[in-house]
Amino acid sequence: MKEIVVGIDFSKGALNALKYAAFIAKGLNCKITLIWVDKPHNPDGIYEEENYRDAVHNRFKEIIKEYEPIVGKDNIQYKIRSGKVYEEISSYAKINNSNYVVIGTHGISGFEELWIGSNANRVVSTSPCPTFTLRQNYAIENNLKRIVLPIDRSDKTLSKIPFAVELAKSFGAEIILIKMHETKFKFLNKRVNSATDKIISILSKEKIKYSVIEKQITNVTNDIISIVEKNNADLLVIMTDQQKQSFNVMLGEAAQQLVNHCPVPVLSIHEDDKI
């Protein structure tokens, strides 16, 4: 059975991420594993009493009781780990061959290190599988009708397609393709057109509804978010556009801005991710 890993610290943002993960898990027939990273010596932690561990276990029991009717009995579990939050989430996902990670973009206690300055995108960057991120104030309506898929001239732009197709078929969603022309040179734009044609062929074969928007890009982040908003999209699927060095735990600039500022959930795909 597929698995979705959810980073949780019981904050508003993390609980909203869990709610979204349950929606995705139900559609994709996945189990959910909640990861809480133990930071007992953090003065800003949510549990300061001596029996904080008991409080954590009790809170997890409440959550599991709440979500079992949604995702299925025995399809939700929790793990307590110690260390750096982003490392522990990524390590668990790697060891267990998890399929997705879901995480909120705001949190407290152990998660505050994730969302301050340069640490904001480390979970996405180090995750061994695609990662959903969503803002803590995102209103989850339990539907996925429109998925925005930007297409550029990079070789890896097609790597997003298997994941977008899986989601579109599972939720009956339309895929909105953005042909991103970042130059006026026709020979470079041909690569975008060629990639789009390949994607359209795949979507047609899979009988997935799609539409195409052609856009001359002036500002990648603003232009994509504008299209997301104008089309009432429910999800944006992007590549992380990271450099290939194994030590690099930061997103590319465009991906980082989209993760931080997109008003709807973002699914970030790494070049080596496999479905």
Side-chain angles (χ1 to χ4, degrees), residues 216-244:
Q216 187 69 46
I217 299 295
T218 56
N219 179 291
V220 173
T221 302
N222 292 343
D223 289 340
I224 291 177
I225 288 177
S226 176
I227 291 172
V228 166
E229 294 175 334
K230 287 180 180 179
N231 289 272
N232 295 315
D234 305 298
L235 178 68
L236 171 65
V237 181
I238 65 172
M239 298 299 297
T240 59
D241 69 321
Q242 291 169 269
Q243 296 178 1
K244 294 184 178 180

Side-chain angles (χ1 to χ4, degrees), residues 1 38-39 71 82 106 112 148 191 234 237 242 272:
M1 191 174 192
D38 187 0
K39 287 185 173 289
V71 300
S82 297
H106 291 279
E112 82 282 0
V148 169
R191 297 179 65 178
D234 305 298
V237 181
Q242 291 169 269
D272 298 328

